[in-house]
Amino acid sequence: MPRALITGITGQDGSYLVDFLLSKGYEVHGLIRRASTFNTGRLGHIYVDPHLPGARMFLHYGDLSDSGQLTNLIYNVHPDEIYHLGSQSHVRVSFDIPEYTGDITGLGTTRILEALRRSGIKARYYQASSSEMFGASPPPQNEKTPFYPRSPYGAAKVYSYWMAVNYREGYGMYASNGILFNHESPRRGETFVTRKITRAIAAIKAGKQKELFLGNLDARRDWGFAYEYVQAMWMMLQHDKGDDFVVGTGQSNSVREFAEEAFSYAGLDWDKYVKIDKKYFRPTEVENLIADASKARKILGWEPKITFRELVRIMVDSDMEEAGLTPPGEGRRILAAKGFPIGSKL
Ligand code: NAP
Ligand code: F7E
């Protein structure tokens, strides 16, 4: 049975990756942080008491700031594949806590890579790199586009990217960078713009919210569906050698277009509810991201199936269901029609 270790297992991508790897027959180990409240909400639907026979997911306490524990974890789990997804992943917040972001999102990567190198274990390593590394470089962006990060988060990811390349070249380790463009889902963190919009729509429909405050509506992003992006991570580690791949849809839309599409799907006029609050603007913005994922398509055979419009429907449906409302329902139909093995927990 192949064994995977995931940092960031409690996050959006970590939780979909567990779903996917368990379906592929893996034993999955994950690093979780100690918190005073449960932070395993995204894993509840697959959690099985580890004492029971047949359990294949195991959680271990630790933190990306603690190299001693990371070393123990890698040594004890002895994984075949490591998916390093843990990070302070919020771009706006990285301007408020730049040093912490550098420590966790940047140095955290070095702690894992160094623990792996010293262990002598020949695990394949996946680095969660980001389109934020391209920042101000004009679109479309591919593996050869120069990095020009526009936030402490983006800068920390550039550092991590190069550390993964350095360990690959310097020590012959198998390390791959997945340069993923924005990917969203019903499990997306509530303060990222897509989920903020779809949750607000549900709250407005339920009569619990009257307005939605947003920042820059003109920013454009290449938004895809997260489940497909964790499949791309796995495909990268099945490739015969470590390499770097851009993953995205090739289509970009503005925040305004996302809001228009989502509100109108729910039968609302976005203009009546959306207001601007400057506190959500960033000191430096990334204006436009569009992936050129032709390398991933050619070498890995990866291609996204879910379009922007479909993604919006999946997310609005899910948030309306969560608010106890009856959604229009196209989201679930789209997932079923396109063969996604996603059950009750979207
Ligand atoms: P996410 O939902 O914010 O999840 C981040 C994960 O990292 C959570 O499990 C979080 O734990 C964990 N974490 C944060 N600080 C930690 C620390 N000090 N020690 C240990 N674990 C810590 O992010 P995501 O959307 O799933 O993204 C996964 C990875 O891909 C991240 O590295 C992100 O930067 C990167 N990325 C994301 C996108 C995207 O569009 N989603 C695109 C490109 C790259 P808690 O649950 O306890 O907070
Ligand atoms: O912002 C604008 C904001 O926070 C998208 C992370 O997963 O993807 C994510 O980073 C855009 C920006 O995502 C609000 O200014 C307007 O232009 O949803 P976001 P992000 O910054 O693109 C990359 C690829 C990652 O790697 C990151 O980890 O939306 N925007 N109004 C707003 N953004 C937020 N959050 N909130 C607003 O009210």
Side-chain angles (χ1 to χ4, degrees):
M1 193 188 296
R3 194 176 301 143
L5 172 63
I6 304 176
T7 71
I9 194 168
T10 55
Q12 169 188 258
D13 291 6
S15 69
Y16 280 123
L17 186 60
V18 181
D19 288 346
F20 179 69
L21 292 178
L22 290 179
S23 79
K24 287 268 173 205
Y26 278 66
E27 178 179 298
V28 179
H29 293 256
L31 176 77
I32 61 163
R33 298 197 276 182
R34 144 78 191 150
S36 66
T37 51
F38 276 124
N39 57 0
T40 49
R42 293 185 178 104
L43 300 173
H45 64 292
I46 32 172
Y47 184 79
V48 173
D49 185 335
H51 302 97
L52 295 176
R56 285 191 288 125
M57 181 180 74
F58 304 92
L59 301 176
H60 309 266
Y61 283 112
D63 196 287
L64 288 166
S65 61
D66 181 352
S67 41
Q69 164 59 357
L70 296 173
T71 304
N72 280 342
L73 187 61
I74 289 176
Y75 187 79
N76 291 332
V77 169
H78 212 292
D80 302 297
E81 295 172 5
I82 297 180
Y83 296 86
H84 175 39
L85 313 182
S87 121
Q88 190 305 90
S89 73
H90 204 285
V91 175
R92 176 67 194 83
V93 173
S94 78
F95 289 99
D96 300 332
I97 47 170
E99 182 185 335
Y100 177 80
T101 303
D103 188 10
I104 300 308
T105 304
L107 275 179
T109 301
T110 305
R111 293 186 184 107
I112 299 261
L113 283 167
E114 188 57 9
L116 179 59
R117 182 181 79 82
R118 286 179 190 225
S119 73
I121 294 167
K122 302 283 174 230
R124 295 184 169 198
Y125 174 87
Y126 174 85
Q127 172 60 32
S129 286
S130 165
S131 51
E132 281 295 301
M133 301 187 311
F134 297 126
S137 274
Q141 294 95 359
N142 65 25
E143 294 79 4
K144 296 200 168 75
T145 303
F147 297 142
Y148 187 162
R150 297 271 284 169
S151 64
Y153 169 81
K157 283 290 186 188
V158 170
Y159 168 76
S160 285
Y161 169 95
W162 284 115
M163 288 308 285
V165 171
N166 186 251
Y167 274 63
R168 182 169 75 212
E169 293 176 351
Y171 305 114
M173 285 166 56
Y174 185 114
S176 289
N177 279 289
I179 309 175
L180 272 47
F181 283 57
N182 296 55
H183 44 282
E184 318 294 312
S185 73
R187 298 188 202 172
R188 184 55 142 154
E190 290 84 353
T191 60
F192 295 97
V193 76
T194 55
R195 187 79 199 288
K196 187 172 162 182
I197 293 169
T198 58
R199 282 185 91 228
I201 288 169
I204 289 166
K205 294 286 269 186
K208 293 186 176 152
Q209 189 172 328
K210 289 196 163 51
E211 295 169 318
L212 168 62
F213 286 94
L214 295 176
N216 179 11
L217 301 183
D218 296 322
R220 302 184 71 85
R221 291 289 182 275
D222 179 331
W223 278 298
F225 177 43
Y227 190 83
E228 303 197 84
Y229 288 57
V230 305
Q231 290 176 315
M233 294 174 189
W234 177 79
M235 289 165 103
M236 277 179 223
L237 292 202
Q238 310 319 301
H239 188 48
D240 53 8
K241 61 180 176 56
D243 202 347
D244 308 320
F245 295 93
V246 156
V247 173
T249 70
Q251 187 191 324
S252 114
N253 289 91
S254 66
V255 173
R256 181 181 288 99
E257 285 163 352
F258 191 102
E260 275 174 7
E261 186 70 34
F263 274 84
S264 90
Y265 174 61
L268 298 171
D269 178 359
W270 76 284
D271 223 9
K272 287 197 182 127
Y273 300 95
V274 173
K275 305 273 177 320
I276 302 299
D277 182 340
K278 287 205 168 119
K279 87 170 177 208
Y280 297 117
F281 281 78
R282 296 163 185 196
T284 40
E285 177 63 281
V286 170
E287 304 295 346
N288 194 6
L289 293 171
I290 309 176
D292 165 10
S294 43
K295 180 176 170 185
R297 189 165 56 243
K298 196 165 150 221
I299 296 181
L300 305 176
W302 181 86
E303 238 174 316
K305 291 192 217 155
I306 297 293
T307 64
F308 169 74
R309 209 166 156 265
E310 292 171 335
L311 174 66
V312 170
R313 281 155 173 65
I314 291 164
M315 292 180 69
V316 173
D317 271 9
S318 171
D319 275 321
M320 285 183 64
E321 276 176 22
E322 215 169 289
L325 303 166
T326 307
E330 278 182 45
R332 274 193 189 278
R333 280 198 289 278
I334 290 161
L335 287 172
K338 297 206 171 183
F340 285 93
I342 290 173
S344 59
K345 177 73 187 159
L346 291 177

